[in-house]
Amino acid sequence: MVFSTLNESNLHNSLKILYQEIYEGKIEVEQDGHVYDIVTKNGNVIEIQTKNLAKLLPKILDTIEKGHNVKLVHPIPVINRIELKDEDGNIISKRKSPKKGCVYDIFRELTGIYTLMTNPHFSLEVVEIEMTEERVRTTEPVQSQNGRRRFRRNWLKTGKRLDTIINTRRFSKPQDYLTLLPQLPSPFCANDLKKAISSQKELPARAASNAHLIIWVLTHAGLLEFIETKGRSKYYKITSLSPNTVC
């Protein structure tokens, strides 16, 4: 499903407004010692997080302990455009970034919250989007605001703008995460997974590089189990999940 373009200038705020309307909730709610992005009319909590999902782990665990279900919404830019403006706000250039995202990027974020993946009171919603990264030209090369640049550049990132929602993937029970695995032999190794992902031509070439990470996350979450080592390769199979494990 494709949603029309939203005019909000901030990615996080755009998603917050959208989900507030969908779930008929209230935004910026102070409750139980926390400030939540959205509390729905049913009392459930929705948090929007564009990066560093692990930072929310203590908050989510405490919220669940206090009797609330939590939905975590995380956008992944499948298509990213770059818009450069001068200091007066005039557009200098627009271009499409060569970097493409895909749903497998979520596993890097899941390394910090894999303990939640089997929690019946937690769900994850991955929103695949088209996004515009907003930049402003500077008169001299500068360091980024977070200080992570290796070299100074003559622009600063000023924001991210949601253009279009391409697809939404919901993960509300352990089996949902396993649907991201392509068809594989049983047992399988990381190289099997890498080849299977590479065969999906609609994905960016770098998607297959996540194979070891995917196995690590699913194993630590208890959804895969180690079987044996052959040569230098470790082999895994899908864990038998209880049919009663639902959200």
Side-chain angles (χ1 to χ4, degrees):
M1 179 179 294
V2 176
F3 290 82
S4 61
T5 299
L6 298 176
N7 293 322
E8 295 291 327
S9 60
N10 181 279
L11 173 59
H12 181 275
N13 285 341
S14 296
L15 289 171
K16 184 165 61 177
I17 291 169
L18 177 62
Y19 275 82
Q20 180 264 334
E21 292 176 350
I22 292 173
Y23 289 93
E24 300 179 23
K26 297 180 179 180
I27 62 174
E28 298 299 322
V29 177
E30 293 188 31
Q31 179 178 290
D32 298 330
H34 301 289
V35 177
Y36 296 116
D37 284 334
I38 302 166
V39 175
T40 71
K41 63 179 182 180
N42 296 326
N44 296 326
V45 170
I46 300 175
E47 286 290 305
I48 314 293
Q49 189 76 357
T50 60
K51 61 180 179 179
N52 299 327
L53 301 190
K55 288 185 176 181
L56 286 183
L57 181 60
K59 181 180 182 180
I60 292 173
L61 289 173
D62 185 60
T63 302
I64 290 174
E65 186 176 336
K66 290 174 178 174
H68 304 286
N69 293 325
V70 178
K71 179 191 294 293
L72 180 56
V73 178
H74 176 65
I76 291 180
V78 175
I79 298 173
N80 187 21
R81 297 179 179 86
I82 297 172
E83 183 178 272
L84 180 64
K85 296 182 178 180
D86 62 23
E87 293 180 344
D88 295 324
N90 301 309
I91 296 176
I92 298 173
S93 65
K94 290 183 179 181
R95 64 181 176 87
K96 183 183 288 188
S97 171
K99 184 178 180 180
K100 296 181 180 180
C102 70
V103 68
Y104 289 109
D105 294 340
I106 191 59
F107 283 95
R108 190 162 300 280
E109 293 288 349
L110 287 174
T111 57
I113 62 167
Y114 65 84
T115 54
L116 293 171
M117 292 167 60
T118 54
N119 191 305
H121 300 287
F122 172 80
S123 62
L124 174 68
E125 202 148 295
V126 176
V127 187
E128 297 171 285
I129 66 170
E130 291 187 22
M131 181 192 81
T132 295
E133 179 182 302
E134 299 167 322
R135 298 176 179 178
V136 61
R137 175 75 75 193
T138 57
T139 54
E140 296 181 359
V142 294
Q143 177 58 271
S144 62
Q145 293 176 337
N146 58 19
R148 294 180 180 176
R149 281 183 178 167
R150 185 176 180 183
F151 302 105
R152 294 175 182 266
R153 299 180 184 274
N154 61 343
W155 56 265
L156 283 173
K157 186 187 299 183
T158 57
K160 298 176 181 179
R161 185 174 71 241
L162 175 62
D163 296 326
T164 303
I165 292 178
I166 301 171
N167 189 33
T168 300
R169 296 175 184 256
R170 298 176 177 88
F171 304 88
S172 57
K173 55 185 181 296
Q175 291 91 333
D176 293 338
Y177 295 94
L178 295 174
T179 63
L180 293 177
L181 292 178
Q183 188 170 355
L184 294 164
S186 183
F188 67 91
C189 65
N191 195 46
D192 293 326
L193 179 55
K194 185 175 181 179
K195 290 179 179 179
I197 294 176
S198 295
S199 68
Q200 301 179 59
K201 301 304 180 183
E202 71 278 9
L203 296 175
R206 67 178 183 83
S209 65
N210 290 310
H212 285 91
L213 188 62
I214 293 169
I215 291 174
W216 187 95
V217 169
L218 294 179
T219 301
H220 280 72
L223 306 184
L224 294 181
E225 60 179 306
F226 169 72
I227 299 299
E228 61 181 340
T229 299
K230 293 181 181 179
R232 295 184 177 181
S233 298
K234 294 182 178 180
Y235 284 78
Y236 302 82
K237 73 172 185 178
I238 295 174
T239 304
S240 298
L241 298 171
S242 168
N244 296 320
T245 307
V246 296
C247 183

